[in-house]
Amino acid sequence: MHKVKYYYDPDTLSYRKIEPKKSRKYRNLTFFILGSALFGFLALIILLNTSWLNTPKELSLEREVNNYELQFEILNRKMEQIEQVLANIEDRDNNIYRLYFEANPIPEEQRRAGFGGVNRYKSLEGFNNSEIITNATKRLDIIQKQMVIQSKSLDEIAKLAEEKEKLLASIPAIQPVRNEDLTRMASGFGWRSDPFTKARKMHRGMDFTAPRGVPIYAPGDGKVTRADNRSSGYGKHIRIDHGYGYMTLYAHLSKYNVSVGQKVKRGDLIGFVGNTGRSEAPHLHYEVWKDGERINPINFYYGSLTAEEFENMLKFANQENQSLD
């Protein structure tokens, strides 16, 4: 109940009722409303920032969000490790593997290229953690693309390695007649004296002096394209196509051990030394062709000769003597 206040009036010698002023009422009311609003605001802030006032469902959701943030942090660390490993593989791919097999390196911008055109991540926008989720998804997409590019590159390297292996097996790399079967290495590649006309002419092969019937071996993998005596001066001869632009020829044979169309491997017995055709004595005339041009065979014995044997052969091959054909 509202208190009524009085004051003593000496003029009338009586008590009079104190009437409150209207402005004071309005002021008190305003203070009350402001105080109530301030109290309510403070109470709301306290409620929002005090976990013990949250409901169990809200606490569960908060823990779930915190767990998601932790998982994203772990995921980012794993992606950093994957990126480092992938960068190391890419570096070796460009600077070792592709360099060795004479393949062009893959440009960095091709490996790191993003995704243009339509916004692929629009569905991830509009959430509290959209930025974190979008960035993680972008990184995963780029890593996936890098792995696809690297996988294709390694497939290409594997194919190049297989071709390289075939090339190395096909190149004429051993001497067609064994050293122990040779009488001597009679004549090398270059200007020589013709045994019949005695004139100087270009000798485009190497002559290996050996007794009749000494075995002749294929210096590299290939396919026999000729085994006949229908080429002027060569007598019985064999030609092997090794692929990659290489072809070898073996002339003045006594007999064949292969037939046309037959595939041979390095070291296979293909024929025997003879003295057929335009020949002065039993020997093997050996030629190496590359892209249709006859080249010096002495550069193709690295697979069967020691350094000392090669040096001796080089000395004899460079002597400008008389050839045997």
Side-chain angles (χ1 to χ4, degrees):
M1 185 176 177
H2 181 67
K3 284 187 176 182
V4 180
K5 293 184 178 181
Y6 296 90
Y7 73 95
Y8 180 73
D9 187 357
D11 294 331
T12 60
L13 302 176
S14 62
Y15 289 95
R16 292 183 176 276
K17 187 177 179 180
I18 299 174
E19 297 292 343
K21 294 181 180 179
K22 287 184 179 182
S23 60
R24 190 172 183 180
K25 284 183 179 181
Y26 293 143
R27 185 179 61 195
N28 292 340
L29 180 61
T30 301
F31 284 152
F32 175 77
I33 293 172
L34 288 175
S36 299
L38 180 61
F39 177 78
F41 179 72
L42 292 174
L44 180 63
I45 291 176
I46 292 171
L47 287 172
L48 291 174
N49 291 278
T50 307
S51 59
W52 59 269
L53 292 176
N54 291 342
T55 64
K57 186 176 182 179
E58 288 172 334
L59 292 173
S60 176
L61 289 173
E62 184 179 354
R63 283 195 298 269
E64 191 172 344
V65 170
N66 291 335
N67 183 55
Y68 284 150
E69 290 177 350
L70 177 62
Q71 293 303 320
F72 268 109
E73 186 178 347
I74 295 172
L75 178 62
N76 279 326
R77 290 176 185 172
K78 288 182 178 179
M79 284 193 291
E80 285 176 5
Q81 293 174 351
I82 293 172
E83 286 168 344
Q84 290 173 1
V85 172
L86 197 52
N88 181 263
I89 295 173
E90 290 171 349
D91 181 65
R92 283 186 289 170
D93 182 38
N94 273 351
N95 299 310
I96 299 178
Y97 308 141
R98 301 185 74 82
L99 185 65
Y100 177 77
F101 292 109
E102 300 176 355
N104 292 327
I106 299 175
E108 189 72 12
E109 55 270 18
Q110 183 179 337
R111 291 184 184 272
R112 300 284 185 272
F115 302 89
V118 181
N119 184 3
R120 299 163 56 92
Y121 312 102
K122 190 173 182 180
S123 61
L124 303 177
E125 297 175 354
F127 302 98
N128 290 336
N129 296 307
S130 288
E131 186 177 354
I132 297 175
I133 298 172
T134 302
N135 288 338
T137 307
K138 283 181 180 178
R139 287 180 71 183
L140 282 173
D141 285 346
I142 292 173
I143 289 173
Q144 185 179 14
K145 184 176 180 181
Q146 288 177 253
M147 292 180 70
V148 169
I149 292 173
Q150 186 57 53
S151 176
K152 290 181 179 178
S153 177
L154 291 176
D155 288 343
E156 182 184 353
I157 293 298
K159 190 176 293 185
L160 289 171
E162 186 178 348
E163 284 297 313
K164 194 84 168 182
E165 187 177 359
K166 289 179 182 177
L167 169 63
L168 293 175
S170 299
I171 292 175
I174 65 171
Q175 194 170 287
V177 180
R178 294 180 302 185
N179 272 343
E180 53 265 34
D181 293 332
L182 292 177
T183 305
R184 66 187 181 93
M185 204 288 293
S187 182
F189 186 95
W191 290 97
R192 299 292 182 267
S193 175
D194 186 279
F196 299 99
T197 67
K198 306 305 178 182
R200 287 181 82 245
K201 74 171 190 176
M202 188 65 180
H203 186 243
R204 301 186 183 277
M206 292 189 73
D207 292 341
F208 295 92
T209 305
R212 180 184 173 88
V214 164
I216 300 169
Y217 303 96
D221 297 358
K223 182 178 180 180
V224 178
T225 57
R226 288 187 66 171
D228 56 60
N229 61 355
R230 297 191 303 272
S231 189
S232 177
Y234 286 135
K236 288 184 178 180
H237 80 293
I238 294 171
R239 301 188 191 196
I240 299 176
D241 183 1
H242 299 276
Y244 307 98
Y246 289 98
M247 190 272 288
T248 51
L249 182 149
Y250 316 80
H252 313 304
L253 276 61
S254 59
K255 62 179 179 178
Y256 314 111
N257 195 54
V258 291
S259 56
V260 175
Q262 181 178 335
K263 291 184 177 180
V264 295
K265 294 285 187 182
R266 179 179 290 148
D268 285 354
L269 176 64
I270 60 173
F272 301 90
V273 171
N275 191 30
T276 58
R278 191 175 183 273
S279 172
E280 191 177 60
H283 74 287
L284 169 67
H285 175 79
Y286 175 60
E287 295 181 4
V288 176
W289 295 60
K290 179 68 170 75
D291 298 327
E293 297 289 334
R294 284 178 285 189
I295 57 178
N296 195 341
I298 202 167
N299 299 314
F300 293 87
Y301 302 141
Y302 55 84
S304 59
L305 299 180
T306 65
E308 185 179 354
E309 288 172 335
F310 181 79
E311 188 176 349
N312 289 332
M313 175 174 284
L314 190 62
K315 182 175 67 174
F316 284 114
N318 286 332
Q319 291 178 358
E320 191 170 332
N321 54 9
Q322 179 179 290
S323 65
L324 294 177
D325 48 35

